[in-house]
Amino acid sequence: MSIPQSFIQELLARVDVVEIVGRYVPLKKSGANFMGLCPFHGEKSPSFSVSPSKQFFHCFGCGKNGNAIGFLMDHAGMGFVEAVQDLAQQVGLQVPDDRSTPQERERAAAQRAKQLTLTDVLEKAAEAYARQLRESPRAIAYFKGRGVSGAVAKRYGLGYAPEGWRSLASVFPRYDDPLLEEAGLVITSEDDADKRYDRFRDRVMFPIRNVKGECIGFGGRVLGDDKPKYLNSPETPVFHKGRELYGLFEARTAIREAGYALVTEGYMDVVALAQLGFPQAVATLGTACTPEHVQKLLRFTDAVVFSFDGDAAGRRAARKALEAALPHATDTRSIRFLFLPPEHDPDSFIRAHGSDAFARCVGDAVPLSRFLADAASEGCDLGTAEGRAHMAANARPLWAALPDGVLKRQLLADLAQLAQLPAADLGALWQQVAPAERAPVRPAGGAPTDGWAPPEAAWAGEPERPRWSPGAPRRKPWEPGRGRWPREAPPPFQGPRPAPASRADHAARLLLSHMQFLEELSPEDHQALCAEPPPHGPLFVWLEAQYHEHGATPWAVLQTQLQGHPCEALAQRLMTGSHAQTEGDVPELRLELRGLLNRMLIEHIKAEESALVAQVAQDPAALQRYRELQAKRRALETAGSLRT
C-alpha cells in the first residue's frame, strides 16, 4: 500500500497525540505538557512527557520519542499502514492508496466497516460471557482451583459460556443475524438453515484480542471431560489463528519490562503464568508457531523464549517454532527454547518448584543455534560418514533460512565441525547452484548455441558479452577458428549517464524516509554522518537537531520545515523520482542503513590510518592507535562481507 505523504501530514494535524497516548497511559497535566509513567521501560516516577503544542511524546528516562503514528507502532506493535489506518478511522478519514483503483478503495472501505462491526459483536459477547462467569459457581471454582485471582480474571476478560443451545439469544435480539455466524459465535445446521445454536456451550471462555485490544475471537475450555477439550473461534474476517497470539495485548508492557516474551502452548498457561509472576507470557492459538507470530512478537522485543513440554509432541512443536523463527534470527536477536520435564507444564512446574526455579530454567533455555544443530542431528549416527552426511543434508535448509550475518557464519562453522568438514568446503558445497540453474555448457565443437552468452572469463582472449534477453537482437554467429566475436557497430549515443547515488545520498534518503532510525545509531555513526562534506554533512546535522526537537517526523512535514534551508535542494533531489521510494520491510531497511554506515566508517578509518602512518616515526602512540583502527576496520569489513 502506498499512502501519500500529504495525507500523513493532514492526519497528524488532525489527531491529538495526548488523546491517543492517554488511551494507553494515564496522563496528568504538568505545566504546558502532560506527564505519565513511561510505557517503554519500568519506572516509579513519571518521566514520560506528551506535548500538545508540538504533538509528540518524549521519555527523559529511556529516550523514546515520536508522534502519534510512532506511538502506536512502538507501543501497540502495529505496522505503519495499520497505525495510519487506525488513526484515520478515529478522525473519520479514508486512507488513500496511490496505487489502488476507486473500486479497490471502495472494497477496502467496505471490508474495514465489516471488521469494525464484527469486533463490536464479539465485544458484546465477551461482556456477556464475563457476566455469566460471576453467576456460575462451577466456572468460578474451576478458575480458583487453578489459582486464578479475580484481578487476573478481569485483566484477561475471562468468562463463561453457559449450558444450553441458544444462550446468546438473550444477548442479541436478532439471533438470526448473519453477523453472529460470520463472527463464529453461532453455527447454522447444514440440514436446516433455520436451525441455529451457540458454538460455545458450558465452557470457560478466553477472549482473544488483537494488539489494539479489540476482541476478535474466543477460546473455550470444557469444565468436564467432553471433547474437544479446547475449542477456538473459526477463521473469520477479523480472526486468523496463524497471525494472532493469545495474551499479547495484555502482555505488551510486561514484555518490555522483562526484556523477553515467553511463548507457551495454551491459554491457561498464559493466565496461570501471569498469576505466578510471569505476565510476559503469550500462547499460539491451537496451531503451530508461524513466521507471522514471530514477526509480531519481535515488534515488542528482541528476545523470545519458546516453552514446550519435553515429550515428543513438544519437540515437534519446537521444531515448527524453529522453522518459523529462522528467517527472523538476526545477529541482534535472541531466540531460545525451553523444554520442561514431560510431566510438567509451566503452571505445574512453578507450583512444584517455585518461580525462581522456573526463572532459572528460562535463563538456561537452549539457544537457537544449539537447537538447530540438535534438530539436524536427530536420528543421525554422527559416528559414521553416512550419519554425518545425513545431518548435513538436514541442516542445509535450516541454515539457508537464516538471514546473512555473523550468526549464520558461526553456525556454518559449528555444523561443519559436526560433519567433520572444513567450514569453507561445507559452505561451498551448500552454495552450489542446482544443475538446472547453472549456465548452459558450451557445446562440443566450440560454437555456442544461438542466444547464449559465454560466462565471464570463459576463454582467454574472448571478450565479455552481455547476456541475450528476449526482444534483444540476436548476435552474429560465432566465427570458428578466429577466437572472437565478429565486430559489431557500437550502440547509439544516448547522452551522459546520470551520476550514481553515493553512500551519503542513500543514507540520507533512508533517514529522510525513516527518521526513527536515528535513534538506533551510535555516537560514532552520528559523528561519521555529520562529518560528511557539504551539503550532506549539514543535512545530517539538521536532521539530528529536528529529531531531538520534534521526534520522528514524516517526509511531508520535513519538506515544509526545509523550505529556505541551504540543504533543501539536496533533500528534494534525493526524495524526488522513483528512486526515492525506499523498498523493503523496515528490518531490511535497517540492515541496509547499517551496511552503508559500516562502509562509511571504513572510509573514515582508512583516512585516519593514512594520517597516522606519517606520524608513527615521531609518535610511538600513533602505532598503537593505528593497530586499534586496523582491527576495527577489519571487523567492519568482515561484518560487511557476511551481509553480501
Side-chain angles (χ1 to χ4, degrees):
M1 185 174 189
S2 176
I3 303 174
Q5 290 289 347
S6 58
F7 175 82
I8 294 171
Q9 186 175 10
E10 179 186 358
L11 177 64
L12 290 173
R14 288 205 192 187
V15 299
D16 182 3
V17 71
V18 176
E19 180 187 354
I20 301 302
V21 174
R23 295 175 184 175
Y24 300 89
V25 180
L27 298 173
K28 289 185 179 180
K29 193 82 165 66
S30 177
N33 297 331
F34 289 79
M35 299 293 294
L37 296 175
C38 179
F40 302 110
H41 79 287
E43 62 178 10
K44 295 183 179 179
S45 57
S47 63
F48 184 75
S49 171
V50 184
S51 170
S53 60
K54 297 179 180 178
Q55 284 295 300
F56 84 105
F57 65 89
H58 178 79
C59 176
F60 295 96
C62 67
K64 274 281 187 184
N65 54 54
N67 55 28
I69 296 174
F71 180 82
L72 291 180
M73 292 174 67
D74 289 337
H75 182 65
M78 299 182 192
F80 175 76
V81 174
E82 189 180 5
V84 170
Q85 289 174 338
D86 185 73
L87 290 174
Q89 171 197 319
Q90 295 178 37
V91 295
L93 292 177
Q94 172 117 11
V95 180
D97 184 351
D98 285 343
R99 297 177 300 184
S100 64
T101 64
Q103 295 78 10
E104 290 172 337
R105 288 196 289 270
E106 186 177 344
R107 283 196 297 270
Q111 184 181 11
R112 284 194 292 273
K114 170 64 70 68
Q115 290 172 340
L116 289 173
T117 306
L118 288 175
T119 55
D120 287 343
V121 168
L122 290 161
E123 288 284 359
K124 192 172 182 179
E127 293 170 3
Y129 291 143
R131 288 195 301 270
Q132 289 289 343
L133 175 62
R134 294 192 290 270
E135 300 171 9
S136 172
R138 286 176 63 238
I140 291 173
Y142 171 80
F143 283 126
K144 282 187 174 180
R146 299 296 298 265
V148 178
S149 67
V152 169
K154 183 178 180 180
R155 178 183 174 191
Y156 285 88
L158 304 183
Y160 172 66
E163 296 177 283
W165 291 92
R166 296 165 63 94
S167 65
L168 287 178
S170 62
V171 179
F172 299 96
R174 283 193 56 205
Y175 190 70
D176 60 348
D177 190 337
L179 283 172
L180 297 183
E181 182 179 0
E182 195 168 358
L185 295 170
V186 165
I187 297 174
T188 300
S189 172
E190 295 181 1
D191 301 327
D192 184 358
D194 295 329
K195 185 178 179 182
R196 291 181 150 218
Y197 54 92
D198 293 357
R199 178 180 299 274
F200 300 102
R201 304 180 304 279
D202 193 25
R203 291 175 180 266
V204 288
M205 299 296 289
F206 301 83
I208 302 164
R209 305 190 183 280
N210 61 19
V211 291
K212 294 186 284 186
E214 299 167 336
C215 184
I216 56 174
F218 293 95
R221 188 196 189 283
V222 295
L223 293 174
D225 297 324
D226 295 341
K227 301 293 182 183
K229 183 178 179 181
Y230 282 97
L231 180 65
N232 291 323
S233 290
E235 297 278 317
T236 70
V238 295
F239 177 57
H240 307 279
K241 290 186 290 185
R243 302 179 196 166
E244 303 296 339
L245 289 157
Y246 176 71
L248 181 57
F249 174 73
E250 293 82 1
R252 293 168 305 158
T253 302
I255 288 172
R256 291 192 177 98
E257 291 175 352
Y260 70 94
L262 181 62
V263 184
T264 63
E265 296 187 77
Y267 308 107
M268 213 41 239
D269 286 334
V270 171
V271 175
L273 283 168
Q275 183 72 55
L276 295 167
F278 294 88
Q280 67 270 33
V282 299
T284 53
L285 301 169
T287 185
C289 184
T290 66
E292 288 83 357
H293 287 145
V294 179
Q295 187 174 27
K296 184 164 286 192
L297 279 173
L298 291 172
R299 293 181 185 175
F300 297 90
T301 179
D302 285 330
V304 179
V305 178
F306 292 97
S307 174
F308 298 100
D309 296 340
D311 56 13
R315 300 288 295 190
R316 287 194 297 271
R319 174 62 184 264
K320 291 286 187 183
L322 170 68
E323 293 170 357
L326 285 171
H328 305 288
T330 63
D331 294 342
T332 58
R333 290 169 175 165
S334 169
I335 298 172
R336 294 176 293 155
F337 297 83
L338 167 62
F339 296 99
L340 295 174
E343 67 274 13
H344 281 300
D345 57 24
D347 180 17
S348 65
F349 184 91
I350 294 174
R351 295 186 189 283
H353 302 285
S355 297
D356 290 344
F358 185 73
R360 286 194 296 272
C361 288
V362 171
D364 294 337
V366 178
L368 176 142
S369 56
R370 193 188 311 162
F371 183 51
L372 185 151
D374 291 345
S377 303
E378 189 171 357
C380 302
D381 181 2
L382 299 184
T384 66
E386 292 82 357
R388 293 191 294 273
H390 191 182
M391 181 279 298
N394 292 341
R396 178 179 178 177
L398 300 176
W399 178 84
L402 284 166
D404 290 336
V406 175
L407 175 63
K408 188 171 187 177
R409 183 63 60 89
Q410 289 178 332
L411 260 171
L412 178 64
D414 292 346
L415 294 167
Q417 187 174 6
L418 286 176
Q420 296 185 15
L421 285 174
D425 289 355
L426 184 62
L429 181 66
W430 280 356
Q431 290 176 7
Q432 285 178 357
V433 294
E437 300 170 345
R438 293 177 183 164
V441 177
R442 185 184 185 189
T449 56
D450 191 22
W452 178 86
E456 183 178 357
W459 296 288
E462 186 175 308
E464 277 188 42
R465 307 289 292 183
R467 291 186 181 273
W468 176 80
S469 58
R474 302 270 185 180
R475 294 191 185 88
K476 296 178 183 178
W478 177 264
E479 297 183 5
R482 301 189 62 180
R484 62 179 177 84
W485 293 89
R487 187 182 303 274
E488 294 176 356
F493 179 70
Q494 297 178 342
R497 293 182 179 179
S502 67
R503 291 177 185 141
D505 281 343
H506 200 170
R509 187 177 297 122
L510 285 168
L511 291 172
L512 288 167
S513 304
H514 301 273
M515 202 172 173
Q516 69 272 20
F517 290 175
L518 282 167
E519 182 182 352
E520 302 161 18
L521 304 188
S522 68
E524 191 176 29
D525 294 331
H526 287 286
Q527 184 178 356
L529 290 173
C530 297
E532 284 289 311
H536 292 87
L539 176 61
F540 290 125
V541 171
W542 179 85
L543 256 181
E544 190 170 343
Q546 291 294 311
Y547 182 74
H548 285 303
E549 185 175 352
H550 303 294
T553 307
W555 163 242
V557 178
L558 291 174
Q559 192 173 12
T560 304
Q561 295 168 341
L562 270 166
Q563 289 180 358
H565 192 276
C567 300
E568 180 183 7
L570 171 63
Q572 292 287 4
R573 174 176 67 80
L574 294 176
M575 299 301 287
T576 302
S578 59
H579 63 278
Q581 304 303 317
T582 51
E583 298 180 354
D585 295 333
V586 170
E588 294 174 356
L589 296 176
R590 281 195 177 96
L591 287 175
E592 191 173 345
L593 178 61
R594 181 69 264 159
L596 285 167
L597 290 170
N598 283 355
R599 290 192 288 274
M600 293 169 73
L601 288 171
I602 288 169
E603 293 302 319
H604 284 279
I605 291 172
K606 284 181 177 178
E608 192 173 348
E609 284 177 343
S610 299
L612 286 169
V613 168
Q615 303 174 19
V616 168
Q618 293 80 21
D619 183 6
L623 180 59
Q624 179 60 30
R625 174 63 179 158
Y626 177 85
R627 288 171 176 166
E628 292 172 357
L629 287 173
Q630 190 179 49
K632 186 173 183 179
R633 173 173 54 81
R634 286 174 176 169
L636 288 170
E637 289 170 342
T638 301
S641 67
L642 295 179
R643 262 191 283 272
T644 57

